[in-house]
Amino acid sequence: MPANNLYPSVLFFGCPGSGKGTQGVVIAQLPNMVHLAMGDIFRAMDKESEIGKEFLSYATKGQLVPDELTIRVFHQHVESCIESGEIDLSYHTLILDGIPRTTAQVELLSKMIDVKRVVHLMIDDHDALIARLMGRAKKSNRPDDADRSVIENRIRVYEQETLPVLESYPKKLIAKINADQPPLAVLRDVADSLVGFISTKI
Ligand code: ADP
């Protein structure tokens, strides 16, 4: 456990379809890194459980799950990974994908995480984004990717609620990445942005 008792973390920001999941998974192949995607944590829950049902009631409309519940699920997930030995905080940096998404979540998380770097994947081409998400629905079996109006709502929620979150962090921690590039070029820029900010020693 680090001396300050906080989870060392890198935050990945980007609208739905920006590639933050793909990039997060690849970066997390490095030693000392664990990728935690909030959407994956929610989707892995039992769909018949109370929380599972509540998640679906929001996600199918493209809405965010309430803040307190989201942070509680996140905290329980990390703590159970620590308990099982999957995460060792004296060794791992967490790559957080999709959390925090509101300024209220920033506040709740401030007692839990130590932000080492913020990676902002920026996309200009919205039409390509929507086409990409609708294509993903066929492969990933995600109902929230299948419907254009749900996708548009998620992009709207991202712009209204999540983009302002970036202002909560010091500018020097934020790396702006052009995510309209091919994935390999994005990966190069993401990797470059992390050098010197996180430890990757074996
Ligand atoms: P995407 O970012 O591509 O929309 P995610 O897999 O990250 O998809 O999230 C899917 C859904 O899970 C969101 O639409 C939302 O309902 C819920 N969710 C994920 N992360 C959060 C969060 N930090 N706060 C609230 N809801 C969340």
Side-chain angles (χ1 to χ4, degrees):
M1 193 83 191
N4 61 11
N5 272 1
L6 302 174
Y7 311 151
S9 303
V10 172
L11 310 184
F12 272 47
F13 281 90
C15 63
S18 62
K20 69 181 159 40
T22 305
Q23 297 293 332
V25 167
V26 175
I27 291 289
Q29 291 304 306
L30 292 169
N32 314 39
M33 310 261 194
V34 175
H35 176 239
L36 293 178
M38 197 58 222
D40 290 347
I41 295 172
F42 276 132
R43 277 185 292 276
M45 288 182 322
D46 177 2
K47 287 182 185 50
E48 299 306 319
S49 68
E50 279 309 306
I51 302 180
K53 282 189 210 152
E54 198 168 351
F55 159 66
L56 276 180
S57 74
Y58 291 101
T60 49
K61 297 192 212 90
Q63 294 168 356
L64 294 180
V65 177
D67 296 320
E68 303 270 348
L69 177 60
T70 299
I71 299 301
R72 187 149 33 97
V73 170
F74 170 77
H75 186 240
Q76 278 168 3
H77 179 82
V78 178
E79 289 300 311
S80 79
C81 291
I82 293 171
E83 213 160 288
S84 70
E86 217 174 305
I87 293 176
D88 172 357
L89 290 179
S90 60
Y91 176 72
H92 287 118
T93 297
L94 310 185
I95 305 279
L96 300 189
D97 164 358
I99 186 166
R101 285 199 200 202
T102 64
T103 46
Q105 292 181 17
V106 171
E107 175 62 26
L108 292 164
L109 277 177
S110 65
K111 301 167 200 84
M112 250 175 255
I113 65 174
D114 177 12
V115 179
K116 302 287 187 191
R117 191 67 157 141
V118 178
V119 176
H120 182 193
L121 298 178
M122 300 172 75
I123 292 264
D124 277 338
D125 189 345
H126 270 213
D127 288 340
L129 197 67
I130 291 173
R132 202 198 292 183
L133 283 163
M134 294 185 76
R136 181 170 86 177
K138 296 193 194 90
K139 286 180 260 163
S140 68
N141 200 16
R142 279 185 53 171
D144 57 340
D145 275 347
D147 183 321
R148 192 179 180 101
S149 68
V150 172
I151 290 175
E152 281 169 351
N153 195 41
R154 278 158 55 211
I155 294 173
R156 208 165 28 245
V157 168
Y158 175 77
E159 285 169 350
Q160 287 171 0
E161 304 212 33
T162 305
L163 270 182
V165 164
L166 285 162
E167 281 156 35
S168 307
Y169 297 103
K171 278 208 170 56
K172 64 178 192 307
L173 280 191
I174 302 176
K176 290 184 188 169
I177 309 288
N178 171 8
D180 280 319
Q181 305 177 89
L184 193 56
V186 177
L187 178 63
R188 174 198 56 209
D189 291 352
V190 170
D192 204 30
S193 77
L194 295 177
V195 174
F197 285 84
I198 51 173
S199 147
T200 52
K201 63 177 188 302
I202 301 180

